Amino acid sequence: MADLEPGANGNGADLNSQPQVSILAQYVKDLSVENPSAPQVYSWQIQPQLDVQFNLNVQDAGESVHEVTLKFDISAKSDNGAHFVVDLSYAGLFAIQNVPQEAMPPFLLIEAPRLLFPFARQVISDAVSSMGFPPLMLDPIDFASAYMAQIEAQQQQGLNGNDQPNPTEV
């Protein structure tokens, strides 16, 4: 059996040069909950139309640290008026070391939001139920498809000679 040097793995590469990703924190960055038609809304017998919009933003938060923010704008409206409005910005701080530059956008725009989504979904569900409505359980988001759509849109804009959008926003 061969002896291994401290700090080395089986193939002789230093563990400090291996890709490392950790979640340093996750948090509600901003939350707005509105019940503008209370108390009348509780007597309405009409099902509201739900509009869910999301946006994704990535920014540097320090050396090898990135903040990934999921922003949700949700409204439930009917002919009677607005049932509720929820705006949530849910963020996470990710420390990333020794990850190749070409792998950063896919991680930050697919994997990081995928890790954050269940927690943001729970905050939204709790906020809606705290207003007296049934909990709102958002369907999972396919961040990989959103990322690929963004890449295709950038390629189309590049072919048309337009400025390309920021690669860290979906």
Side-chain angles (χ1 to χ4, degrees):
M1 178 175 215
D3 291 331
L4 295 177
E5 294 180 29
N9 66 15
N11 64 12
D14 187 355
L15 286 178
N16 291 332
S17 67
Q18 297 296 311
Q20 298 175 3
V21 175
S22 59
I23 302 174
L24 302 176
Q26 52 184 343
Y27 46 92
V28 172
K29 192 168 182 171
D30 184 37
L31 175 62
S32 173
V33 180
E34 300 175 31
N35 191 347
S37 300
Q40 295 84 5
V41 69
Y42 300 111
S43 65
W44 296 347
Q45 299 299 314
I46 190 167
Q47 184 73 15
Q49 290 293 317
L50 194 62
D51 180 34
V52 179
Q53 302 292 320
F54 85 94
N55 192 4
L56 182 58
N57 188 38
V58 176
Q59 62 184 17
D60 290 337
E63 187 175 329
S64 300
V65 177
H66 304 273
E67 180 186 59
V68 177
T69 304
L70 284 171
K71 171 116 175 65
F72 291 91
D73 296 311
I74 302 168
S75 63
K77 297 178 181 175
S78 69
D79 291 340
N80 292 348
H83 293 236
F84 64 82
V85 178
V86 177
D87 296 324
L88 171 67
S89 292
Y90 192 86
L93 288 178
F94 293 85
I96 303 172
Q97 296 179 328
N98 304 320
V99 172
Q101 193 60 36
E102 64 273 5
M104 291 295 284
F107 177 80
L108 292 171
L109 296 170
I110 298 171
E111 288 305 312
R114 186 185 61 78
L115 293 169
L116 294 174
F117 177 78
F119 300 98
R121 178 181 168 181
Q122 187 63 50
V123 170
I124 291 166
S125 175
D126 291 347
V128 171
S129 64
S130 292
M131 286 188 284
F133 298 101
L136 174 62
M137 297 304 288
L138 295 178
D139 290 335
I141 297 171
D142 185 351
F143 293 103
S145 291
Y147 177 73
M148 293 309 295
Q150 177 195 22
I151 296 299
E152 289 174 16
Q154 287 176 352
Q155 290 172 347
Q156 288 297 322
Q157 286 182 345
L159 293 174
N160 295 334
N162 297 335
D163 291 334
Q164 292 188 3
N166 184 341
T168 59
E169 290 187 6
V170 172

